[in-house]
Amino acid sequence: MLDGMPLVDAHIHAARLTTLKLAWKQWAQDFGDPALLAAVYDASGTVEPARFDAYLAAEGVDVALVLSEYSPKATGIQAVEDMLPLTAYERVKLIANVNPHLHYPIDEELRRQLDLGAVALKIHPVHGGFAADDRALYPAYEICQALGVPVVVHCGTSTFPGSLNRYGDPALLDRVLHDFRSLNLVLAHGGRGWWYDAAAFLALTYDRVWIELSGLPPKRLKDYYARHNWHRLSRRFIFGTDWPGVPGIAHNARAVAALCPDDETARLALAGNAAEVYHLKLPD
């Protein structure tokens, strides 16, 4: 709990440093807290589960969603198996990842990761080098729709070498929304860079599309979405930080809450929407 409100951080990277490219490590140092990284990582470059859980508790986080990622051209590999020790603590849940250039049959790989406990699927078109409406992903979308598993889509630019930013356009989800009519889509980074309006339009048009705030400075949010009804749009937010590339989870959460029109909206943004979409249990 943070200031009496439940808190879900829906976007955390807790990967082993030895599996990542130098650019990822530099990003974490530049945008995060180097002292914190030293506190939660052990000497081998692996997040130590007990220390990580203690850090999350101190930040007021009730549920943390940690992301795996298979993007060897851009950031490297954040293997799902490396996340499993963290999920020994009830607070931490896993998000699966598939890349159609690496995983075949893609439905079998997704089922494998879901069987390991994943509560959602993330796809990373920008780092993986594919479009979100690529038909190779459709078997994965079919599984998620059938099981009620949400799909998180990286929607926004990335500065990592090897990124293909044209694939961050939320408009590429138009066909997916048409073909999968009960699939929940979470727009990670909310259209960062070039597509804030497109992301907001989708979230305000479809009751199964959500704006996930990771990597967006809270103080800039009203500027990013200035052309849209803030009262309506803020009720479509899901809080996430993109840890470790942030000053602090609690710091960002308080800043987001302060922007919300009322306490009810703040509760939705900080935890309520995430609990609904990811089927999470929150403290009373």
Side-chain angles (χ1 to χ4, degrees), residues 169-171 187 190-191 194-203 209 211 225 228:
D169 190 345
L187 310 185
W194 304 333
W195 302 292
Y196 296 113
D197 287 337
F201 174 82
L202 290 178
V209 177
I211 296 285
Y225 300 112
H228 302 274

Side-chain angles (χ1 to χ4, degrees), residues 16-223:
R16 291 176 58 223
L17 298 180
T18 55
T19 69
L20 301 171
K21 290 194 171 185
L22 179 60
W24 190 97
K25 302 172 190 176
Q26 191 62 52
W27 163 79
Q29 292 286 332
D30 289 347
F31 292 95
D33 180 352
L36 172 60
L37 293 177
V40 300
Y41 275 89
D42 65 20
S44 71
T46 301
V47 176
E48 205 286 320
R51 283 188 250 163
F52 185 58
D53 185 70
Y55 163 71
L56 294 171
E59 292 290 301
V61 177
D62 297 293
V63 181
L65 304 184
V66 295
L67 293 95
S68 55
E69 186 178 330
Y70 296 84
S71 299
K73 288 184 178 180
T75 53
I77 302 294
Q78 301 174 48
V80 64
E81 290 79 8
D82 291 343
M83 307 293 116
L84 291 180
L86 303 177
T87 65
Y89 289 82
E90 187 176 358
R91 189 188 320 273
V92 181
K93 308 299 180 185
L94 174 68
I95 293 184
N97 176 252
V98 292
N99 182 334
H101 297 312
L102 298 178
H103 298 123
Y104 183 85
I106 203 166
D107 55 333
E108 292 183 7
E109 176 59 21
L110 174 57
R111 288 189 186 278
R112 184 185 77 85
Q113 295 187 36
L114 292 175
D115 287 344
L116 292 173
V119 300
L121 166 66
K122 184 187 178 186
I123 62 167
H124 207 312
V126 171
H127 287 175
F130 54 86
D133 60 359
D134 190 317
R135 292 306 188 272
L137 292 164
Y138 271 39
Y141 294 154
E142 288 171 0
I143 291 171
C144 289
Q145 178 169 258
L147 297 179
V149 172
V151 176
V152 183
V153 184
H154 178 105
C155 286
T157 54
S158 173
T159 59
F160 287 110
S163 299
L164 293 173
N165 282 311
R166 67 180 179 273
Y167 292 133
D169 190 345
L172 293 169
L173 292 167
D174 184 60
R175 186 70 187 182
V176 177
L177 287 162
H178 178 273
D179 292 343
F180 298 92
R181 294 185 174 274
S182 60
L183 185 65
N184 267 296
L185 293 178
V186 178
L187 310 185
H189 313 300
R192 180 176 63 197
W194 304 333
W195 302 292
Y196 296 113
D197 287 337
F201 174 82
L202 290 178
L204 291 172
T205 301
Y206 296 93
D207 63 4
R208 54 199 174 90
V209 177
W210 309 84
I211 296 285
E212 192 244 81
L213 300 175
S214 58
L216 302 179
K219 65 182 180 182
R220 301 289 302 278
L221 288 176
K222 285 194 171 183
D223 293 331

